[in-house]
Amino acid sequence: MKKIVLALVVTVVACVVVFASQDVKCRQTTAFSSFEQTTSDGFRKIDMQSLPHAVLRTMGTSASYEGCTFEGAYMSGKSGCETYKIKVENPDRTERFVLMNGRGEVIG
């Protein structure tokens, strides 16, 4: 009987330790991710797939971006008046940022 009670206590303590450590890891990851996602100029990193269709169309059809690769996307602003910042790597390996509105118009 003592062995069963001892085994039960050890199992419960092990479960508490495992679940508590996972909760701490989740909180740390969430805090780190939110810190890492926002840049100093107020833009937050987004997936390239999250860009509006008009922005993607401009990036894919404009002669200005021929031979370029797109290295990252960032967004700032409220719903309906977002500004997108696209990191562009030129064919000569130099990098630049292009600002566009949600309609795919270059604004800077």
Side-chain angles (χ1 to χ4, degrees), residues 16-61:
V16 168
V17 169
V18 168
F19 289 121
S21 67
Q22 287 178 351
D23 185 45
V24 169
K25 287 179 185 175
C26 288
R27 288 182 192 165
Q28 289 173 344
T29 303
T30 302
F32 181 73
S33 296
S34 63
F35 173 75
E36 183 179 61
Q37 297 292 327
T38 304
T39 61
S40 61
D41 58 359
F43 283 85
R44 64 185 181 280
K45 187 165 181 59
I46 60 171
D47 291 328
M48 295 291 279
Q49 295 83 11
S50 299
L51 290 170
H53 185 271
V55 173
L56 293 172
R57 185 179 58 240
T58 299
M59 291 165 47
T61 59

